[in-house]
Amino acid sequence: SLFAGVGGVCLGFRQAKLGGNRYEICWANEIDEYAAETYRNNFNHTLIEGDIRKVLHPELINDEINELELRLENEENLAEQNRIRRIINELRNELINYNNMHDQILERRIDVLLGGFPCQAFSIAGERRGFEDDRGNLFLSIIDLINQLDTIHGKPRVIFLENVKNLMSHDSGNTYRIIRERLEECGYTIKQHVLNTCEYSTLPQNRERIFIVCFREERDASEFKLFDIDEKGNSVNLNDLKINHSKEDRKNQIKSILESKTVDEKYYYTKDKYPSYFITEEEYNLMPLTDRKDVRINLDEQIDEENEFYQVRRGMYVRKNMSGVCPTLTANMGTGGHNVPLIKVNDRVRKLTPVETFRLQGFPVLDSGISMIDGGERYILPVEF
């Protein structure tokens, strides 16, 4: 599993079974230290923690060392010389670690390679720079790993990729065309579909993601019919898997993800912390016209229904999610501010806790922060989402 995060896709594969057969996860790779720490607390297999580009090419560290050694030769300041020497020594230790990680990632034959490669470069919520963003170029590390595995064990039988819906339309479709072409050059048959979490599960979150499933063997590709469409472009099999949710269903689903205990005060929105979100009509009328926004915001007045999600859109107005689900969770969940999903609990407004965001992603997390992954109790760290 590449770009494993805290293990969402890995958990799905651990839970999948056919008869008595289950997947064995050989290894996972993640660079973020906080995500990696949470991952280790919930999975027992090998976690390769580091930059995948350096894992696949440890020689990149040698290039850094050589560059610093040239700088050292021309540096006259003693303090700066010592600083550069320290960095060189750290890089030499890093080179040893990355050589070990390189051996680990190529040690075993892989049947299914997972890759939820970073989506910020393509997301509609970000700058959408695509391959101009280093995170967008990380897709090429997947191709690199496929080719390196091929020289030792053969290419993985299946490649399973996930990304934001906007990947399909980014740069007028050119980004996805390049991704597809590179995978096809590796000999894979590609099937893809955009799925929304809230339509195929009981998780009340609007989360549209493209799933790209690639098959090395034509027989496997022909047997995978989940994404098949008819001559009119309609899904043949997925419609049968959609779940029809009533408004009452949605409210109960939201109740099930909310913590039953009182949460920390830091999650609540108050006038002291967000004065511009609690403006009374009298205060609004007394404001100079130049200071007024077009719409007065007062969360106590406008967030008026429990078990529903709201957002302060762009800091300009309050909007209720009319689908009765949580808007897509983003990387800035812990920062507060605008566009963060808000809920009303016991007549007070707050954002979601880490436990609740884990639950919205399908993790089996209890109020205490204990998870039930891998058949035992492991602690989910209090990572701020």
Side-chain angles (χ1 to χ4, degrees):
S1 179
L2 293 171
F3 320 110
V6 296
V9 178
C10 295
L11 176 59
F13 272 82
R14 279 303 303 264
Q15 292 175 334
K17 59 183 177 180
L18 179 63
N21 298 315
R22 290 179 177 271
Y23 287 98
E24 175 194 2
I25 303 179
C26 301
W27 52 258
N29 165 248
E30 175 54 46
I31 191 173
D32 183 272
E33 61 177 315
Y34 299 110
E37 192 171 356
T38 297
Y39 193 101
R40 283 197 187 90
N41 274 281
N42 288 286
F43 296 95
N44 294 323
H45 51 261
T46 299
L47 178 65
I48 299 170
E49 185 179 349
D51 184 339
I52 186 59
R53 290 168 291 199
K54 291 180 180 179
V55 172
L56 296 175
H57 294 281
E59 66 272 14
L60 293 173
I61 302 172
N62 270 328
D63 294 341
E64 293 179 45
I65 292 172
N66 292 337
E67 183 179 330
L68 284 170
E69 287 177 338
L70 287 174
R71 282 178 55 187
L72 185 60
E73 289 178 7
N74 299 314
E75 180 58 56
E76 297 179 358
N77 183 281
L78 182 60
E80 181 63 12
Q81 288 177 4
N82 290 332
R83 190 186 74 84
I84 293 173
R85 287 191 183 96
R86 283 197 302 272
I87 296 173
I88 290 173
N89 287 333
E90 289 170 1
L91 285 172
R92 285 174 176 154
N93 290 329
E94 187 177 281
L95 178 60
I96 295 171
N97 291 332
Y98 271 102
N99 276 320
N100 290 334
M101 287 188 271
H102 181 259
D103 293 341
Q104 281 182 308
I105 209 167
L106 297 177
E107 183 179 3
R108 298 181 62 179
R109 181 179 64 83
I110 303 298
D111 289 310
V112 182
L113 179 63
L114 313 181
F117 56 107
C119 64
Q120 296 95 324
F122 311 106
S123 174
I124 198 168
E127 296 181 4
R128 291 183 278 181
R129 293 178 58 205
F131 287 126
E132 294 177 8
D133 189 318
D134 282 346
R135 294 169 297 188
N137 282 324
L138 285 172
F139 163 75
L140 299 177
S141 293
I142 298 172
I143 302 298
D144 193 356
L145 176 57
I146 291 170
N147 290 329
Q148 289 197 33
L149 285 167
D150 188 29
T151 63
I152 305 172
H153 308 288
K155 295 172 183 175
R157 183 171 171 178
V158 178
I159 310 295
F160 181 95
L161 307 177
E162 175 264 349
N163 212 285
V164 291
K165 174 186 177 181
N166 198 57
L167 181 69
M168 292 285 286
S169 58
H170 182 267
D171 191 22
S172 302
N174 288 322
T175 297
Y176 185 69
R177 177 183 56 78
I178 292 170
I179 287 172
R180 188 179 182 99
E181 286 176 354
R182 295 303 300 271
L183 290 165
E184 288 175 338
E185 287 168 3
C186 290
Y188 288 93
T189 299
I190 318 298
K191 298 195 176 188
Q192 77 283 321
H193 205 89
V194 174
L195 304 175
N196 192 335
T197 294
C198 65
E199 293 180 349
Y200 297 93
S201 76
T202 58
L203 297 175
Q205 182 194 173
N206 183 70
R207 194 172 192 85
E208 294 179 291
R209 289 294 184 269
I210 181 173
F211 292 89
I212 307 166
V213 189
C214 317
F215 299 94
R216 186 190 64 201
E217 306 295 336
E218 188 55 42
R219 184 189 66 178
D220 292 338
S222 64
E223 291 181 359
F224 183 81
K225 301 181 182 301
L226 188 63
F227 295 168
D228 287 0
I229 57 175
D230 59 25
E231 63 277 2
K232 295 181 180 179
N234 299 317
S235 175
V236 176
N237 298 307
L238 281 169
N239 286 339
D240 294 336
L241 299 177
K242 282 189 176 181
I243 304 173
N244 293 319
H245 301 280
S246 67
K247 188 172 183 180
E248 193 61 31
D249 288 338
R250 290 303 193 198
K251 285 183 175 291
N252 289 330
Q253 290 162 6
I254 293 171
K255 284 181 185 178
S256 72
I257 68 103
L258 298 179
E259 295 200 57
S260 58
K261 64 182 180 64
T262 301
V263 306
D264 194 287
E265 190 65 26
K266 66 184 179 181
Y267 297 108
Y268 289 92
Y269 276 46
T270 65
K271 189 161 186 170
D272 288 341
K273 289 189 283 187
Y274 299 97
S276 62
Y277 288 177
F278 293 88
I279 300 173
T280 65
E281 188 172 357
E282 181 181 5
E283 290 169 334
Y284 185 77
N285 291 332
L286 291 173
M287 285 181 181
L289 292 176
T290 53
D291 293 343
R292 290 188 196 177
K293 293 182 178 178
D294 292 339
V295 178
R296 177 175 67 90
I297 295 177
N298 189 304
L299 299 186
D300 284 337
E301 298 174 14
Q302 294 157 337
I303 299 182
D304 57 0
E305 192 172 354
E306 292 191 359
N307 302 316
E308 297 281 357
F309 284 102
Y310 297 77
Q311 287 177 296
V312 182
R313 296 294 295 173
R314 303 179 186 87
M316 301 299 292
Y317 62 95
V318 177
R319 185 176 76 178
K320 177 181 177 180
N321 187 287
M322 300 311 293
S323 299
V325 297
C326 181
T328 305
L329 298 182
T330 63
N332 69 346
M333 288 301 302
T335 63
H338 67 278
N339 293 352
V340 171
L342 301 175
I343 55 173
K344 184 176 184 178
V345 180
N346 298 327
D347 288 331
R348 297 184 67 194
V349 175
R350 65 170 174 83
K351 62 183 178 181
L352 298 171
T353 68
V355 165
E356 291 163 348
T357 57
F358 269 107
R359 286 176 179 165
L360 277 168
Q361 298 290 88
F363 286 89
V365 187
L366 307 180
D367 278 0
S368 61
I370 295 174
S371 71
M372 303 301 293
I373 298 176
D374 274 2
E377 292 188 353
R378 305 285 172 78
Y379 284 93
I380 290 286
L381 297 174
V383 178
E384 285 289 347
F385 276 70

